[in-house]
Amino acid sequence: MYSYRGKLIHVDLSSRRSKVEELGPDFLKKYLGGVGLASRILYDGIKPGCDPLGEDNAIACAVGAFTGTIFPTGNKFCMATKSPLTGFLGDSLSSSYWASALKGAGYDALLVTGKAQRPTYIFIDDGEVHFRDASHLWGKACFEAEQAIREELDNQAVRVATIGLAGEKMVRYACVGNDRGRQAGRTGQGAVMGSKNLKAIAVHGNNPVNVADLRQLSAESLDLIKKAQGTATEKYRVLGTVGNVLSLNRLGVLPVRNFQQSTFEAADRVSGEYLHKYHREKTVACSDCPIGCEQVLNSREAPYDGAVVSIDYESLYALGPCCGIDNAPAIIKAAELCDKFGLDTMSAGVTIAWAMECYEKGLLTDADTDGLELRFGNHAALVGIIEKIARREGIGALLCEGTRIASKKLGRGSEEFAIHVKGLELPGYEPRGLKTYALGIAVGTRGACHNRSAAYEPDIKGKVDRFKAEKGRGILAKEQEEFATVLDSLIICKFLRGCFKDFFAEAAHFYKLATGVGMTPQELKVTGERIWALKKAFNIREGWVKEDDWLPPRLLKEPLADGPGKGVVLTEEELRMMIDDYYRAKGWTERGLIPKAKLSELGLEDIAEEIGVG
Amino acid sequence: MKIKVELFGMARQIAHLSQVDFEINEGGDLRDLALAMAQAYPGLCGTIIDLEGGNLVPPYIFNINGKYSVHDLTTKLNAGDSVLVFSTMIGG
């Protein structure tokens, strides 16, 4: 089978041993790569019920069929683990040269198990695994550790995925950084690495990837690259994803002050246009990407001058409007600190917003915050609290747990405005004004995630009445999550989605050009359904129940306070109706469980025996 | 009748303005508005407005009063309407 390596490398930190497992063509076709492959390897690699921060948890990494080829945006990897934030499957993607290096080293996937006795980093060098001491790296920032390892190995071509202080301290939403500014950002993979005393995974490999039809793949990829540099992505090249701030604000779906409002009076001061004019340093692209959406910003103003970081829309929303912050330099500084310490900007921002509301309601006082006046809009408090979270110091010892656990610990009604699904904090879109999206994130396997289910698309595109909850949204949410699953498993960047006219047909065609393996568009669609079912099965095995598919109380009790949707509500009855509709569309039971027959139909017979019903 | 157009993303960058009023005939629709926009701001043609197709270039779309995005250019407008022009490509 072309393009793939057909190999998984097992690395056990406890025994300091490694072994290679062959991955057959049928298996690879069935799970594709990325999210699909990593999720299956993790499913097989850990025991149900393990402590996410214990020795028995594992980390599965997988690249895609297009990684290392000329096909654009395929240089990404998925890092999957049992999430310490959600307790369910945490699958996180990162664009990275790390992905092509792993494939160049001879592997499609990596499974890390066990726990090192002391700080360690793994170095996979052209197929060989080395365990190296990381004591001198412990405490270093993500990008400092990246560079230190390259210098230590005397090879600038080594690619490094590393944790920062937050991962070492096992902050539940610690991320994994690489390429100095890219992250496997969500669901706490960094904390899992920290729990294993694993500072970094360095890889080096230059073996070229052989594809089935190089001439045709090259020609058609070049056409796709031209499309990727066209109108559909121009906004991202010029303004970046922060170019969405003003339109989302105008639609009344920009969450503000911990989802108390959906329009921000100071949106102009944190918009993509404003940042482009006053703070843009340069535009860069991820590995193998012709789009180049990443806007590197420079704070340029005291007291935050000197901060340089790339910011996407989600980071900006979470650290900006969600915290009531309109000071762009402070947001840039806060994002830089998150990257330095290895914190997920989204969970960090939403957790701080929750704490700000607690402070304003008197549930947290100056005594709790070490004197920080943690009010909405206080940018000094925002910047000041991030290091406390990374170090688990003072108020940071509470906030490092994320909103679900922190609100349970604090209690006193603070759970009502803890904005998470299954423990994962919400992205920057107001669900009450986007009802299909509300369903999509409620049933998401990794919690509230716009990337795993872009169910806002029918709402934003006007294919449905976005303020209305109704039957029929179930099939839309199903289609969106399974489409995203295919993108995340092949792997193809979602910003390329607008460049296809018939995605499944074209993607299947490209898959054959790369791998030599034929795949019908329908087979590819079913693959998306299969992988989603696998992820759901993982969660069921970990104790998922129907009640986990739900939204935060605030979103179901309070009407929208402002914007075009002012007064719109999303009731519990409406959400329940849409979830029931979704389960029916999926062919699941009323309790959201998966029938054995359905799992068998998807080719998951072994899983059917384990968690299937009926 | 007067229609306010609010531009976002590249539409704003190209036209160098965030909003502008247009006069179109009573009973006019979104197609009339698109033509008026194309005449006033030719730079929008090809990247935002598809004159041959008589529509916006995907992923750009019209939205009336910030509520509903509209595909059908025969949708009638009312005096005082605000029409948004923005890209439906979101995510980040």
Side-chain angles (χ1 to χ4, degrees):
Chain A
M1 195 174 191
Y2 290 96
S3 195
Y4 291 108
R5 295 299 191 200
K7 287 180 182 171
L8 157 67
I9 178 81
H10 291 252
V11 177
D12 184 60
L13 292 164
S14 301
S15 63
R16 294 171 73 88
R17 288 184 178 171
S18 64
K19 66 176 181 182
V20 176
E21 178 185 346
E22 301 289 327
L23 301 174
D26 292 342
F27 184 82
L28 290 167
K29 182 181 176 184
K30 202 167 173 178
Y31 301 105
L32 295 177
V35 164
L37 187 57
S39 298
R40 181 71 222 205
I41 289 167
L42 187 75
Y43 188 97
D44 296 336
I46 66 168
K47 290 177 184 170
C50 72
D51 176 1
L53 297 175
E55 187 172 350
D56 290 339
N57 197 5
I59 301 166
C61 302
V63 301
F66 298 127
T67 303
T69 75
I70 192 173
F71 182 92
T73 77
N75 278 1
K76 293 174 181 282
F77 69 97
C78 173
M79 186 175 261
T81 191
K82 181 176 174 182
S83 166
L85 196 59
T86 70
F88 295 131
L89 177 64
D91 49 320
S92 201
L93 287 168
S94 179
S95 295
S96 179
Y97 289 94
W98 190 96
S100 50
L102 183 70
K103 207 169 193 180
Y107 303 110
D108 297 306
L110 160 70
L111 182 67
V112 180
T113 55
K115 179 179 180 179
Q117 288 185 342
R118 58 182 179 279
T120 297
Y121 76 88
I122 300 166
F123 178 36
I124 302 172
D125 185 16
D126 263 340
E128 291 196 8
V129 177
H130 307 271
F131 297 87
R132 299 183 67 107
D133 178 53
S135 301
H136 58 301
L137 302 170
W138 213 245
K140 278 193 184 297
C142 289
F143 38 84
E144 289 171 357
E146 260 189 79
Q147 190 54 24
I149 288 172
R150 274 195 284 269
E151 286 173 7
E152 178 172 307
L153 297 172
D154 195 23
N155 188 342
Q156 290 299 315
V158 171
R159 301 298 174 179
V160 184
T162 181
I163 60 171
L165 186 63
E168 295 168 13
K169 296 286 186 182
M170 290 181 268
V171 174
R172 288 184 188 272
Y173 45 90
C175 65
V176 179
N178 58 90
D179 288 0
R180 194 192 170 134
R182 304 307 308 171
Q183 289 85 24
R186 306 223 71 192
T187 67
Q189 276 72 346
V192 177
M193 281 181 64
S195 75
K196 295 180 175 302
N197 282 326
L198 179 60
K199 178 68 179 178
I201 306 170
V203 290
H204 174 252
N206 287 326
N207 298 304
V209 176
N210 294 317
V211 297
D213 189 339
L214 180 59
R215 185 184 297 267
Q216 199 64 21
L217 181 65
S218 299
E220 296 190 28
S221 292
L222 287 172
D223 286 342
L224 191 57
I225 287 167
K226 284 179 189 166
K227 286 182 194 167
Q229 294 176 330
T231 307
T233 58
E234 191 173 14
K235 177 180 66 173
Y236 288 153
R237 281 196 304 283
V238 176
L239 297 174
T241 58
V242 288
N244 291 325
V245 169
L246 292 180
S247 52
L248 293 173
N249 186 57
R250 182 64 179 84
L251 295 172
V253 293
L254 173 65
V256 177
R257 296 181 187 85
N258 201 31
F259 288 72
Q260 293 185 89
Q261 295 96 35
S262 58
T263 65
F264 192 37
E265 68 281 2
D268 280 337
R269 293 201 291 276
V270 296
S271 68
E273 288 81 353
Y274 183 93
L275 297 170
H276 182 78
K277 187 172 181 181
Y278 296 109
H279 295 284
R280 180 178 174 273
E281 184 79 12
K282 60 182 176 180
T283 300
V284 297
C286 297
S287 169
D288 191 34
C289 176
I291 300 171
C293 70
E294 196 174 335
Q295 305 299 317
V296 178
L297 306 177
N298 189 326
S299 56
R300 293 204 175 106
E301 288 177 24
Y304 305 117
D305 43 335
V308 177
V309 70
S310 66
I311 290 190
D312 62 26
Y313 168 75
E314 307 299 341
S315 301
L316 183 117
Y317 126 79
L319 298 168
C322 196
C323 291
I325 306 288
D326 63 0
N327 182 306
I331 297 168
I332 293 167
K333 180 65 181 177
E336 187 197 56
L337 288 172
C338 285
D339 285 7
K340 173 183 173 182
F341 294 125
L343 283 167
D344 170 14
T345 50
M346 295 167 68
S347 284
V350 178
T351 302
I352 292 168
W354 169 83
M356 286 176 162
E357 188 166 348
C358 288
Y359 185 88
E360 292 202 343
K361 285 183 159 66
L363 304 178
L364 290 173
T365 66
D366 288 342
D368 300 309
T369 64
D370 308 319
L372 278 177
E373 195 178 343
L374 206 54
R375 295 187 182 283
F376 287 116
N378 185 346
H379 53 82
L382 168 79
V383 171
I385 208 163
I386 289 172
E387 184 161 354
K388 289 180 181 294
I389 293 172
R391 294 188 181 281
R392 300 178 80 111
E393 286 178 357
I395 185 70
L398 178 69
L399 303 187
C400 72
E401 305 282 23
T403 52
R404 180 169 65 176
I405 295 176
S407 65
K408 277 184 182 166
K409 284 185 175 177
L410 184 64
R412 294 155 66 193
S414 66
E415 302 96 327
E416 294 289 306
F417 51 87
I419 307 297
H420 68 87
V421 172
K422 301 181 179 74
L424 186 68
E425 286 71 20
L426 261 66
Y429 314 91
E430 170 52 65
R432 286 165 287 188
L434 302 164
K435 295 282 174 66
T436 320
Y437 163 75
L439 170 62
I441 60 167
V443 299
T445 55
R446 81 166 181 169
C449 180
H450 66 297
N451 276 325
R452 296 295 173 270
S453 172
Y456 47 47
E457 294 236 346
D459 297 317
I460 292 284
K461 288 182 175 174
K463 291 183 177 175
V464 295
D465 180 343
R466 67 186 176 97
F467 297 116
K468 190 175 179 183
E470 60 189 348
K471 285 185 180 175
R473 302 303 171 93
I475 187 69
L476 294 177
K478 174 185 186 293
E479 288 171 354
Q480 288 296 327
E481 69 190 18
E482 290 170 6
F483 171 49
T485 301
V486 172
L487 287 168
D488 292 340
S489 299
L490 277 173
I491 308 166
I492 300 174
C493 177
K494 294 192 175 68
F495 293 160
L496 212 57
R497 69 189 188 275
C499 301
F500 297 97
K501 284 185 177 171
D502 182 349
F503 171 76
F504 287 101
E506 293 173 61
H509 173 66
F510 273 111
Y511 185 81
K512 184 175 183 185
L513 292 178
T515 66
V517 173
M519 173 107 74
T520 67
Q522 183 58 25
E523 276 184 291
L524 196 54
K525 273 188 182 177
V526 171
T527 301
E529 186 178 5
R530 176 187 307 120
I531 294 168
W532 190 273
L534 163 69
K535 297 199 304 176
K536 179 65 183 281
F538 184 103
N539 289 354
I540 291 170
R541 199 175 66 166
E542 294 294 340
W544 173 92
V545 291
K546 184 176 182 178
E547 288 67 28
D548 289 312
D549 283 353
W550 205 238
L551 290 173
R554 162 160 288 160
L555 306 183
L556 298 169
K557 291 180 179 174
E558 300 175 17
L560 285 176
D562 55 6
K566 183 178 180 180
V568 168
V569 295
L570 172 59
T571 67
E572 292 190 359
E573 292 72 24
E574 287 176 330
L575 180 60
R576 173 57 56 214
M577 176 268 295
M578 289 197 294
I579 290 174
D580 290 344
D581 186 49
Y582 166 81
Y583 291 161
R584 277 192 296 275
K586 297 289 287 191
W588 298 350
T589 71
E590 287 182 5
R591 294 293 303 166
L593 298 171
I594 314 178
K596 283 182 180 175
K598 184 68 183 174
L599 288 163
S600 297
E601 174 192 315
L602 294 171
L604 299 172
E605 291 84 356
D606 56 332
I607 292 176
E609 288 307 309
E610 196 171 6
I611 63 95
V613 295
Chain B
M1 61 182 176
K2 187 179 285 185
I3 303 293
K4 183 165 84 174
V5 172
E6 301 177 50
L7 303 169
F8 296 92
M10 287 312 298
R12 180 177 294 199
Q13 295 295 109
I14 292 167
H16 298 291
L17 49 82
S18 57
Q19 63 181 55
V20 60
D21 290 339
F22 283 95
E23 282 289 338
I24 64 170
N25 293 331
E26 290 291 330
D29 59 18
L30 282 171
R31 191 180 307 277
D32 298 325
L33 182 65
L35 288 171
M37 288 170 59
Q39 283 183 341
Y41 300 97
L44 295 174
C45 296
T47 51
I48 309 296
I49 301 171
D50 173 12
L51 271 184
E52 288 181 12
N55 209 328
L56 296 188
V57 177
Y60 282 85
I61 199 164
F62 284 123
N63 178 293
I64 299 177
N65 297 323
K67 290 193 170 180
Y68 302 108
S69 298
V70 180
H71 296 269
D72 182 2
L73 292 199
T74 64
T75 301
K76 300 288 184 193
L77 294 170
N78 296 308
D81 275 346
S82 281
V83 176
L84 283 56
V85 177
F86 70 97
S87 166
T88 59
M89 280 280 280
I90 60 171

